[in-house]
Amino acid sequence: MMGPNAHSYCLLRARKSLPYVLRTIHQSHSKHTRDSGRRRVVVTGLGVVSPVGCNVEAAWQTILSGQSKVGRLVGETYDKLPCRVAATIDTNDIDLEKCFSKTELKTMARATAFALIAAKEALSRASWMPGVEDETACQRTGVAIGMGMVDLMDICETNEALKKGYNRVSPFFVPRILPNMPAGQLSIRYGFRGPNHAVSTACATGAHAIGDAFRFIQHGDADVMVCGGAEACISPLGIAGFCRLRALSTAFNDEPTASSRPFDERRDGFVMGEGSAIFVLEELQHALRRGAPIYGEILGYGLSGDASHLTAPREDGTGALLAMQRALADGGLTVADIGYVNAHATSTPIGDAIEARAIRTLFGEHTRSVAVSSTKGAHGHLLGAAGNLEALFVVMACRHGLLPPTVNLHNVTDDMAGLHYVANSSEPWEGKHRRRVALKNSFGFGGTNACLCIGEYSE
């Protein structure tokens, strides 16, 4: 048995044998925290796979054009359902069999594949491909990617396979349906060894992932975070389940492009979408030292809970209000600093009206000076990938000074009047603000709420 001195000697030898990088990470972070306090977090990369486009420029131009990419669901199984519309990925834009080998596709869900494709674009734009040989960079790069729902059909098909025999069950079945696998697969592919985080908070997932990544960098857990959300659960069972909740649009099956209509008086439910959007967030000084492109800045992050109902927000809108107030407080801002709100507004009769009420309450006398829109009219509701996709459009709006429109918004009911809605056509971002700053709302079943405060980069 070793005595206390021998034990201490072994511990000392072990510490001295660690790689130099592991001994210096904490020291450098502590010094930075002492010298500058809160770390600024900027956006240095963006990537997207979505119904409106499968690269950033294409998606942004489609949004600005005011086009809807919602289409008709084809097949006998859909013909029997009340809702027969959705916003899907154009197979002419993305062919997964060309992007991945057959072996790779066996190991991943469709949503994971979308996340990996979007991440590749984001990392390329950020010029951040350190490689496993750069141990310091890999250890200081983390991943935070979420998924709202797993592929329900994968579960159903695997259950049918089990009835035929145990050996018919794929050994990759469990990894395919774990919500943390987009983050895990990305981390493995690029060798990122910082925080490996996954969020699953229903329709607030993507915004929570970005906000959590923002705080990881702020608190010094990483210098770079690859973050966002992915979703691919459009299937007969998925559509049927949401139909039973009376959540989906059913009045526009013969006119799919008119079915998603946030804030409009004829809205009757949301339209499901699929895809992924990925951000590369980076500590400002780290980005400046390497000359990285800077698309925008994350300024604040607010969270709240409704504590009210499984699927409906609080009628008084206090859940949404708290999230927005906390995002502003986190960013050290006031409502007078905000020029645009990208609303969660999914095109449901109850939810859109409550969010409008919360926005009016927050802005008070400044209500008429803030623009409001929801891009879900163009791409539907991507559930766990909604907040991050829409946050991408907010970054682009701040960068280019153009406000994305709400497609299919023609008439607003009295309970939502009083706001400046950007309807059907994009508008220039006007105002007397020194800096373009926006709020991005995302709310999820279970009463979970997130709000991101995003601004153009300013030295």
Side-chain angles (χ1 to χ4, degrees), residues 138-153:
C138 287
Q139 290 185 0
R140 297 294 293 165
T141 303
V143 179
I145 301 175
M147 183 190 303
M149 287 176 57
V150 299
D151 186 346
L152 301 179
M153 292 308 296

Side-chain angles (χ1 to χ4, degrees), residues 28-209:
S28 64
H29 165 54
S30 298
K31 182 178 186 301
H32 182 93
T33 301
R34 288 195 304 270
D35 292 346
S36 62
R38 175 166 164 157
R39 288 152 56 102
R40 290 176 65 182
V41 181
V42 293
V43 180
T44 57
L46 296 167
V48 63
V49 173
S50 77
V52 292
C54 292
N55 63 71
V56 172
E57 280 80 13
W60 177 236
Q61 290 305 315
T62 300
I63 289 297
L64 291 180
S65 71
Q67 299 177 60
S68 168
K69 291 297 182 178
V70 177
R72 184 175 286 103
L73 289 168
V74 179
E76 292 183 5
T77 49
Y78 290 114
D79 291 342
K80 302 174 183 178
L81 301 177
C83 173
R84 296 188 292 279
V85 296
T88 59
I89 303 298
D90 190 335
T91 54
N92 292 321
D93 291 338
I94 293 292
D95 185 345
L96 296 184
E97 292 184 356
K98 292 181 179 179
C99 297
F100 303 97
S101 68
K102 290 183 179 180
T103 300
E104 288 175 321
L105 288 175
K106 288 180 181 179
T107 71
M108 66 180 72
R110 183 175 166 88
T112 298
F114 289 159
L116 291 175
I117 295 169
K120 183 178 180 181
E121 181 186 8
L123 289 165
S124 176
R125 287 178 172 274
S127 297
W128 187 245
M129 298 277 190
V132 293
E133 69 280 356
D134 190 343
E135 190 151 344
T136 302
C138 287
Q139 290 185 0
R140 297 294 293 165
T141 303
V143 179
I145 301 175
M147 183 190 303
M149 287 176 57
V150 299
D151 186 346
L152 301 179
M153 292 308 296
D154 198 353
I155 297 172
C156 292
E157 290 167 2
T158 301
N159 185 58
E160 290 301 312
L162 178 60
K163 292 177 182 179
K164 298 176 182 178
Y166 161 75
N167 290 330
R168 297 291 187 93
V169 176
S170 168
F172 299 110
F173 167 62
V174 170
R176 282 201 305 262
I177 65 169
L178 291 176
N180 74 315
M181 277 301 156
Q185 289 258 17
L186 182 64
S187 173
I188 293 167
R189 180 168 291 243
Y190 293 99
F192 297 150
R193 296 168 63 191
N196 188 321
H197 182 58
V199 184
S200 187
T201 49
C203 306
T205 294
H208 275 140

Side-chain angles (χ1 to χ4, degrees), residues 178-323:
L178 291 176
N180 74 315
M181 277 301 156
Q185 289 258 17
L186 182 64
S187 173
I188 293 167
R189 180 168 291 243
Y190 293 99
F192 297 150
R193 296 168 63 191
N196 188 321
H197 182 58
V199 184
S200 187
T201 49
C203 306
T205 294
H208 275 140
I210 294 170
D212 290 352
F214 162 65
R215 290 206 171 152
F216 288 148
I217 295 174
Q218 275 193 325
H219 288 271
D221 296 308
D223 294 323
V224 181
M225 288 294 300
V226 185
C227 56
E231 200 73 81
C233 58
I234 298 173
S235 67
L237 181 56
I239 296 291
F242 280 110
C243 280
R244 291 292 289 163
L245 277 175
R246 298 183 179 179
L248 298 184
S249 172
T250 60
F252 297 91
N253 289 327
D254 296 328
E255 193 180 358
T257 57
S259 56
S260 182
R261 44 196 320 114
F263 297 120
D264 187 75
E265 66 177 357
R266 296 178 64 200
R267 67 191 188 279
D268 73 320
F270 73 80
V271 173
M272 287 179 69
E274 62 179 0
S276 177
I278 299 295
F279 281 51
V280 177
L281 300 187
E282 193 165 345
E283 191 274 324
L284 175 60
Q285 296 305 316
H286 186 277
L288 292 175
R289 282 195 299 271
R290 68 183 192 86
I294 297 179
Y295 293 90
E297 183 171 1
I298 309 297
L299 302 172
Y301 176 38
L303 307 88
S304 73
D306 281 343
S308 176
H309 190 272
L310 285 176
T311 59
R314 290 183 66 96
E315 290 186 8
D316 59 7
T318 54
L321 181 63
L322 284 170

Side-chain angles (χ1 to χ4, degrees), residues 312-318 320 349-359 416:
R314 290 183 66 96
E315 290 186 8
D316 59 7
T318 54
I350 295 175
D352 293 12
I354 291 174
E355 185 175 7
R357 185 178 306 138
I359 294 170
M416 295 192 301

